[in-house]
Amino acid sequence: MLGTTIILAFREIRRHVLRSFLTTLGIIIGVAAVVTMVTLGNGATAAISSQISSLGSNLLTIRPGQGYGRGGGGPSPPPFDEADTEAIRKQVAGVLSVAAQSSTSAIAIFEAQNWTTTVTGTTNDYFAASHLQLSAGRIFNEVELGAGKSVCVIGSTVQTNLFKEGDPLAKTFRLKDISCQVIGVLETRGAAGFGPDQDDQVVMPIKTVMRRLTGNRDVRAFQVAVDPAYDTKAVSAAITALLRERRKIASGDDDDFNIFDSKQLSDTLSGTTKTLTALLGAVAAVSLIVGGIGIMNIMLVSVTERTREIGIRLAVGAVQREVLMQFLVEAAALSCLGGVIGLLLALVATFALSPLMGIPFGFDVQINLLAFLFSAAIGIVFGYFPARRAASLNPIDALRHE
Amino acid sequence: MSEPLIRLRGITKTFGEGATAFQALKGIDLDVDKGDFIAVMGASGSGKSTMMNIVGCLDVATSGSFTFKGVEVGTLERDQRALLRRRYLGFVFQGFNLLSRTTALENVELPLIYRGDDAKARRSTAMGALERVGLADWSDHTPSELSGGQQQRVAIARAIVTQPQVLLADEPTGNLDSERSLEIMALMRGLNQDSGITIMMVTHEPDMAAFASTIIHFKDGLVERVEQNRPIPFRGGVGVGHVQNSGVLTAPTPGPSPEGEG
Ligand SMILES: Nc1ncnc2c1ncn2[C@@H]1O[C@H](COP(=O)(O)OP(=O)(O)OP(=O)(O)O)[C@@H](O)[C@H]1O
Ligand SMILES: [Mg+2]
């Protein structure tokens, strides 16, 4: 009997191609929309998380001035000096390393190419603190740092603009008045990060920059790596106290420097990401419900339309169960087919859209399963219950139905 | 005296409720014995179809008793009534009620599917039924590709395909020309006399009623009159319907007997 029922169900599907297609379409769209949205949302979340972790955690960046967006008028606050570097390194607990930075902008010239870029004078601690890796060459050695040799590690933007396709290692180019030899190249970080573009810079020993480019001993910034065992807030407070004392700021006056805590930023961003994920979940739930209502409507309309068919089957001797079985098989077949097509569509859509949106492609088994089961269940339930109502009528009433 | 096959006692049927209620049947008493060929006549709206639907187990009476083979149908479960329809009854609807987009053959096969026949047996039995109504060449046409008369014949084929014990036909010749009508009547008479199938048929045409052995006249939801009829002789070439107990029915001679056509 079940075999016959299945044949009957598939016959009806084949006889009413358009109606079957429309029923399936509701499920296809519902499933595809939800799965695509949630998958892309998860991808975006993952992308943001990886950008946050690329910032380097437990990193404090200290600059003169009152932080971004403030200040403006008035005398610019004094820079730091090398004694400050030593003081922070030695007097503050929880500091792993301090990379002092002196920076200026300069035009780099190699053969016919020239490129305006930022020159960062610093020590090897800078690479570690900022999580910068080399794609070729090496970082500075003790001699180069101590003597202030004219060597440099260049960012990938500088590499492309000065050397094009050629190998920059051991090449010498002009930087303002000095010539500078390339000993290493930084790995590309991409513009997706936060803060200044770290691909567009020339990194040199701080002594070289001070002596030969800026002509002063000003330290424009520190990057302080904090021991993970310590709280960045406490370390930040200790540094603030130390610098206020060293810079002789009267109590009650504002700081004339600012400390940027990457840990704090990453905490904030993670919070935002969580909110985003929750929002996406809510939107997905709503569209799943809307899709469900669509499926419901089509199923209801189609069963109403088919009440006469149910009447005919009952009239020639079908029992209620046989009619219901046929409708159940039909609804299940259409729902599952629609679900599978919807999942495939979502797979294609996420595969095509992920690179366009610059997020990693991912396949979330859970949401695929959830969307499929939900819409299949709705399709089956709403194919079944109206049919049950119709099959419980007297055949003559079902036949008279309009 | 043995129990009649179908026995109606005080059957009433009321449609609607309260002020809009309408009593279509007002107390029908009727006995139908096995092998009877009954014609039901009466004005439009007199309740003929309503009674046929009740006897066909497609509808239930509001009150009264309907027994089929001694079983009180009113007390049966819905599915038990479905099994009565499946095993013993064939029904030709006034409005055909064929499945749309479904070929004539598949429509005729439908009762056999629920009877549990396998596909091959189903096909040949259904084909045989279509041949009997002269539609063998139209088996793969859907109702929308068939004329009203052809659809009616498909409906008849579907009703007789299971060799039912009782054939209930609500105006089976309503859409046919007189030649086709006579062919169908000859078919029915053959079923009645050769296969012993009990037939109850609604008709407005005295010509067709003349084939029956009993004619029941309906009026306003009641049986007005029952007349015994000596049907057209079965193999007589020419036959005349007689009215035995009253002079009302004067059935004309239906030309040469259509019997003998395949
Ligand atoms: N489902 C229904 N609801 C309400 N009234 C109905 C219903 N079915 C039939 N009737 C009424 O019952 C009465 C009898 O109807 P029925 O169909 O039995 O007539 P009939 O004798 O078959 O007529 P016809 O020769 O035109 O087919 C009619 O007045 C009709 O309006
Ligand atoms: Mg009628």
Side-chain angles (χ1 to χ4, degrees):
Chain A
M1 190 58 225
L2 185 67
T4 318
T5 309
I6 290 173
I7 292 171
L8 277 181
F10 279 91
R11 258 194 207 166
E12 283 306 311
I13 291 174
R14 208 189 50 222
R15 272 179 202 141
H16 301 270
V17 179
L18 183 65
R19 183 180 69 199
S20 307
F21 170 73
L22 287 177
T23 309
T24 317
L25 192 67
I27 297 175
I28 293 176
I29 291 175
V31 170
V34 169
V35 172
T36 306
M37 199 158 52
V38 173
T39 308
L40 289 180
N42 285 345
T45 307
I48 292 172
S49 303
S50 87
Q51 283 171 9
I52 290 171
S53 69
S54 81
L55 266 179
S57 53
N58 301 326
L59 180 68
L60 301 177
T61 306
I62 307 159
R63 289 195 171 83
Q66 289 181 330
Y68 300 112
R70 280 210 271 161
S76 56
F80 307 111
D81 57 29
E82 270 173 285
D84 293 328
T85 315
E86 284 308 304
I88 293 171
R89 183 177 287 140
K90 298 219 169 96
Q91 293 174 29
V92 180
V95 170
L96 286 181
S97 69
V98 182
Q101 273 171 255
S102 153
S103 56
T104 179
S105 94
I107 301 177
I109 303 165
F110 179 73
E111 291 170 355
Q113 326 309 329
N114 65 73
W115 183 250
T116 306
T117 185
T118 307
V119 181
T120 308
T122 188
T123 58
N124 281 336
D125 291 331
Y126 173 76
F127 300 107
S130 296
H131 289 242
L132 286 168
Q133 308 279 324
L134 295 198
S135 63
R138 58 174 178 84
I139 55 177
F140 311 117
N141 60 31
E142 287 307 314
V143 180
E144 287 160 351
L145 285 169
K149 286 271 172 62
S150 197
V151 290
C152 62
V153 174
I154 58 173
S156 58
T157 307
V158 177
Q159 175 193 4
T160 346
N161 285 293
L162 276 191
F163 301 99
K164 306 287 170 202
E165 304 296 306
D167 180 10
L169 283 184
K171 297 264 165 56
T172 302
F173 65 94
R174 288 195 70 74
L175 199 57
K176 238 177 190 174
D177 305 327
I178 63 173
S179 70
C180 177
Q181 192 189 30
V182 179
I183 59 164
V185 180
L186 292 174
E187 216 166 60
T188 307
R189 168 155 283 184
F194 299 88
D197 182 359
Q198 287 171 311
D199 293 335
D200 187 8
Q201 66 172 341
V202 171
V203 185
M204 296 179 85
I206 190 163
K207 274 199 177 148
T208 323
V209 174
M210 284 175 170
R211 268 189 218 148
R212 306 188 60 181
L213 289 176
T214 63
N216 58 46
R217 304 184 65 78
D218 297 347
V219 170
R220 292 275 160 210
F222 299 116
Q223 292 205 304
V224 178
V226 178
D227 186 334
Y230 286 75
D231 181 10
T232 53
K233 279 206 193 100
V235 175
S236 172
I239 294 173
T240 304
L242 176 70
L243 287 178
R244 282 180 72 92
E245 186 193 317
R246 291 182 62 81
R247 291 160 79 84
K248 303 193 171 54
I249 300 170
S251 63
D253 285 2
D254 287 339
D255 298 342
D256 64 353
F257 57 91
N258 68 81
I259 302 182
F260 172 79
D261 184 345
S262 74
K263 179 90 188 322
Q264 234 168 340
L265 177 70
S266 93
D267 286 350
T268 310
L269 285 175
S270 315
T272 312
T273 311
K274 277 192 194 111
T275 313
L276 189 73
T277 311
L279 181 73
L280 273 169
V283 172
V286 168
S287 40
L288 210 54
I289 287 168
V290 170
I293 291 172
I295 300 166
M296 228 160 76
N297 276 338
I298 295 166
M299 282 293 187
L300 266 166
V301 167
S302 113
V303 172
T304 311
E305 187 185 284
R306 299 178 69 181
T307 302
R308 222 175 66 86
E309 177 197 332
I310 292 175
I312 292 173
R313 292 181 184 280
L314 292 173
V316 301
V319 296
Q320 206 181 349
R321 181 171 38 82
E322 289 164 335
V323 173
L324 287 184
M325 203 60 184
Q326 178 204 327
F327 274 73
L328 198 60
V329 171
E330 256 188 78
L334 289 181
S335 303
C336 293
L337 183 72
V340 168
I341 296 178
L343 292 186
L344 289 177
L345 212 63
L347 193 68
V348 172
T350 45
F351 192 77
L353 288 178
S354 296
L356 291 181
M357 293 172 62
I359 57 177
F361 170 73
F363 180 81
D364 186 340
V365 179
Q366 227 175 326
I367 187 67
N368 277 271
L369 212 63
L370 185 78
F372 179 83
L373 290 180
F374 185 81
S375 46
I378 286 196
I380 290 168
V381 166
F382 285 93
Y384 180 78
F385 283 99
R388 199 176 72 161
R389 202 193 46 205
S392 66
L393 293 172
N394 275 322
I396 205 71
D397 293 326
L399 285 171
R400 230 181 249 129
H401 189 91
E402 246 123 53
Chain B
M1 202 187 122
S2 71
E3 176 89 10
L5 182 64
I6 291 166
R7 178 196 183 99
L8 303 182
R9 286 294 176 271
I11 289 291
T12 71
K13 178 70 185 181
T14 305
F15 292 109
E17 276 169 17
T20 60
F22 177 78
Q23 195 171 31
L25 296 180
K26 293 169 180 161
I28 304 286
D29 296 333
L30 191 67
D31 287 343
V32 179
D33 288 318
K34 189 171 175 337
D36 278 359
F37 188 162
I38 292 175
V40 180
M41 299 187 78
S44 181
S46 57
K48 305 181 298 293
S49 296
T50 307
M51 188 215 36
M52 291 292 273
N53 292 338
I54 291 170
V55 174
C57 300
L58 297 166
D59 205 353
V60 286
T62 308
S63 72
S65 145
F66 162 35
T67 57
F68 182 79
K69 286 175 169 261
V71 175
E72 181 60 53
V73 175
T75 62
L76 293 181
E77 294 284 314
R78 183 188 321 284
D79 280 355
Q80 289 174 308
R81 288 202 301 273
L83 293 178
L84 276 186
R85 294 193 293 271
R86 177 187 299 189
R87 297 204 185 114
Y88 304 114
L89 304 173
F91 204 102
V92 182
F93 293 93
Q94 195 171 357
F96 322 141
N97 281 325
L98 300 174
L99 286 180
S100 59
R101 302 188 197 212
T102 306
T103 65
L105 184 66
E106 285 171 330
N107 263 296
V108 176
E109 275 184 358
L110 200 61
L112 301 176
I113 290 178
Y114 293 111
R115 207 172 68 171
D117 289 12
D118 68 70
K120 239 178 108 184
R122 224 157 57 202
R123 241 189 140 64
S124 64
T125 314
M127 234 13 234
L130 278 175
E131 268 162 30
R132 292 189 82 167
V133 298
L135 278 182
D137 295 340
W138 297 85
S139 63
D140 58 352
H141 288 67
T142 60
S144 59
E145 299 163 351
L146 296 172
S147 72
Q150 287 169 326
Q151 291 182 43
Q152 189 147 43
R153 283 187 281 156
V154 175
I156 293 167
R158 184 181 63 189
I160 63 171
V161 74
T162 52
Q163 298 276 357
Q165 291 189 7
V166 180
L167 176 64
L168 300 158
D170 197 348
E171 302 195 29
T173 59
N175 285 273
L176 303 180
D177 59 47
S178 61
E179 201 178 326
R180 281 292 180 202
S181 298
L182 290 173
E183 275 177 38
I184 292 300
M185 291 320 298
L187 171 72
M188 301 250 268
R189 191 171 56 187
L191 290 169
N192 178 241
Q193 300 201 346
D194 297 344
S195 314
I197 294 179
T198 307
I199 295 179
M200 221 169 144
M201 169 187 79
V202 175
T203 182
H204 284 290
E205 300 160 84
D207 287 16
M208 304 306 139
F211 283 81
S213 53
T214 306
I215 302 171
I216 294 171
H217 293 270
F218 260 64
K219 193 179 180 195
D220 297 335
L222 285 168
V223 176
E224 184 192 32
R225 191 152 50 85
V226 179
E227 58 181 306
Q228 297 304 317
N229 178 40
R230 204 187 75 212
I232 300 161
F234 184 43
R235 288 185 208 281
V238 179
V240 179
H242 282 302
V243 179
Q244 288 179 328
N245 58 349
S246 73
V248 176
L249 185 79
T250 47
T253 308
S257 171
E259 204 56 39
E261 281 179 41

